[in-house]
């Protein structure tokens, strides 16, 4: 819907085709020689100011690099700091906290499950030990390996749960 015209001025800003038309229009014939000279002088002044600002910015960037070098700051340190900050920021998000909580809970459940499996296996080995198969060297070797594996898993998951609790 077009805005109503207000005299020669419209309330809406220029759109794509309008901008192209204005950019390609030749207004120089509408300017007096005095206005043209003033605009040329202003153009030269603006270009000089832009050049000066670029030089000042370049000098400030060099000074910044010198200060960082004196402070022992380098690109790798900055990357580490940015990564640490980003990691910290991510850890404080609600999504991360919920995910961490869920995975931590799942880890606790897995620990309990491994513990129950270990207990069941130990009970089975106990039952088998009381029978004749329990006295064979092969069974004893197998039993030791399974018990070592179960113990290692228990230690691993307990340590992991402890470390997660320390992080919280």
């Amino acid at each position: 819907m077009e805005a109503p015209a207000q005299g020669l001025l419209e309330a809406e800003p220029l759109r794509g085709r309008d901008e192209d038309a204005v950019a390609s229009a030749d207004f120089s014939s509408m300017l007096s020689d005095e206005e043209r000279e003033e605009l040329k002088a202003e153009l030269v002044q603006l270009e000089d100011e832009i050049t000066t600002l670029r030089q000042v910015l370049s000098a400030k960037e060099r000074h910044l690099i010198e200060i960082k070098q004196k402070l022992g700051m380098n690109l790798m340190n900055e990357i580490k700091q940015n990564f640490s900050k980003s990691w910290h920021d991510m850890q404080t998000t609600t999504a991360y906290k919920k995910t961490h909580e869920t995975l931590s809970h799942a880890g606790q459940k897995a620990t309990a499950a491994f513990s129950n499996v270990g207990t069941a296996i130990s009970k089975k080995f106990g039952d088998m030990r009381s029978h004749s198969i329990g006295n064979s060297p092969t069974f004893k070797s197998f039993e030791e390996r399974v018990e070592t594996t179960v113990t290692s898993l228990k230690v691993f998951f307990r340590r992991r749960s402890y470390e997660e609790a320390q992080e919280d």
Side-chain angles (χ1 to χ4, degrees), residues 2-166:
E2 291 186 29
Q6 301 172 353
L8 296 176
L9 300 176
E10 292 185 12
E12 291 291 316
L14 295 177
R15 302 223 191 288
R17 283 185 291 170
D18 297 331
E19 290 174 358
D20 292 341
V22 169
S24 64
D26 183 16
F27 294 107
S28 61
S29 61
M30 296 170 35
L31 297 174
S32 69
D33 288 341
E34 185 180 320
E35 289 173 323
R36 186 174 290 117
E37 290 304 316
E38 285 177 14
L39 288 175
K40 284 182 181 179
E42 184 178 353
L43 180 63
V44 168
Q45 181 183 357
L46 285 172
E47 288 173 342
D48 287 345
E49 288 175 3
I50 290 170
T51 301
T52 302
L53 289 171
R54 284 186 178 140
Q55 291 170 348
V56 168
L57 178 61
S58 179
K60 290 202 178 274
E61 286 175 336
R62 282 193 303 273
H63 187 62
L64 174 75
I65 290 169
E66 290 171 8
I67 290 173
K68 284 183 175 183
Q69 287 174 343
K70 288 178 183 177
L71 292 173
M73 298 170 67
N74 59 26
L75 181 61
M76 192 59 155
N77 287 342
E78 287 186 45
I79 290 172
K80 285 179 188 177
Q81 288 173 348
N82 288 342
F83 181 77
S84 294
K85 184 183 182 321
S86 297
W87 178 249
H88 178 266
D89 291 346
M90 187 199 61
Q91 285 181 315
T92 59
T93 63
T94 304
Y96 177 86
K97 288 179 182 177
K98 286 182 180 178
T99 303
H100 183 267
E101 184 178 306
T102 301
L103 292 176
S104 180
H105 186 68
Q108 291 170 355
K109 292 279 189 182
T111 301
F114 279 119
S115 179
N116 290 340
V117 167
T119 302
I121 290 172
S122 294
K123 184 178 179 200
K124 276 290 186 192
F125 284 142
D127 292 346
M128 292 172 80
R129 199 177 296 128
S130 63
H131 296 79
S132 62
I133 192 171
N135 295 328
S136 74
T138 305
F139 176 78
K140 289 184 180 190
S141 172
F142 177 72
E143 179 183 26
E144 289 172 4
R145 288 182 183 169
V146 170
E147 286 178 350
T148 302
T149 302
V150 169
T151 302
S152 297
L153 286 171
K154 283 181 180 180
V155 168
F156 172 79
F157 281 106
R158 284 185 184 140
R159 184 180 310 133
R160 187 168 175 196
S161 294
Y162 175 78
E163 290 171 354
E164 288 176 355
Q166 295 301 313

